[in-house]
Amino acid sequence: MLKKVLCALGILVLLFGAAPQVQATDNSGEIRVNLRDGELVVTDGSMEVYLAGQPVPEGYLLGQEFGGGIIAGEDVPSPDFAQWMAARAGTGMIRTADEQGVVRFTGLEPGLYLVRQCEPSQGYFAISPYLACITEEINIVDTYPKLKSTGSLPRTSEASNLYIGALGLAFGLTGVIFWEEARRMEQKTSKR
């Protein structure tokens, strides 16, 4: 009996693909990744979600790329497990941050999702992968991953560099003019 179930599951995997992709459906589940460093909003970098498991009464039935099997709900928060899954997952749904620093994945069905960063935000190390659960009861999940600075500041735009350079030049010239005027006044005073 077990062989028949595994065989049927294998045929389904061959028919529908070995790596389940996250696709937008009419489901209302949403994962929001908030990219913030304290009060600073981070608006670059991209994130990816990958459907890792389907809900079952005992927890989540994992995809074949993760060896199948069931993971209990209490084991989901393990960072080591998320890292292990990230090394085996295919490509999922990829999005970039909006102007508020939020990456939104909408239209998700209930399930266990691997969340990982595709491209680190400028000036920050990559965010460690983690797992998020969409259920019938909790269909919007807000996450706030910890951002760790690389210690280097992100590049500013060329226009900002131009304004800063012009401002520095203006202050420098003003200082030279005042210095020269003070020198002239001192020479006039000393000649009298």
Side-chain angles (χ1 to χ4, degrees), residues 77-155:
S78 167
D80 292 334
F81 187 62
Q83 192 74 37
W84 179 85
M85 291 180 89
R88 287 156 180 77
T91 302
M93 183 188 296
I94 299 172
R95 299 285 184 267
T96 55
D98 61 19
E99 60 276 355
Q100 287 88 31
V102 180
V103 183
R104 298 174 198 281
F105 298 96
T106 58
L108 303 177
E109 62 188 67
L112 176 64
Y113 290 87
L114 172 66
V115 182
R116 62 184 172 184
Q117 192 167 32
C118 304
E119 179 182 323
S121 301
Q122 199 169 16
Y124 295 92
F125 290 106
I127 297 168
S128 296
Y130 58 95
L131 300 171
C133 302
I134 298 287
T135 66
E136 295 291 333
E137 298 81 26
I138 303 172
N139 62 353
I140 296 178
V141 178
D142 277 304
T143 65
Y144 296 84
K146 183 176 180 178
L147 296 176
K148 185 176 179 187
S149 174
T150 60
S152 63
L153 295 175
R155 287 178 40 96

Side-chain angles (χ1 to χ4, degrees), residues 169-182:
L169 183 60
F171 281 130
L173 287 175
T174 302
V176 168
I177 291 169
F178 281 127
W179 176 79
E180 185 63 31
E181 188 62 31

Side-chain angles (χ1 to χ4, degrees), residues 5-14 17-20 50-54 61-70 84-85 88-90:
V5 171
L6 291 175
C7 184
L9 188 57
I11 291 171
L12 287 174
V13 167
L14 289 175
Y50 184 85
L51 181 59
Q54 299 289 333
L61 175 61
L62 300 177
Q64 290 302 310
E65 63 275 30
F66 307 117
I70 295 175
W84 179 85
M85 291 180 89
R88 287 156 180 77

Side-chain angles (χ1 to χ4, degrees), residues 153-175:
L153 295 175
R155 287 178 40 96
T156 57
S157 70
E158 296 303 321
S160 295
N161 289 343
L162 181 62
Y163 295 134
I164 291 170
L167 189 60
L169 183 60
F171 281 130
L173 287 175
T174 302

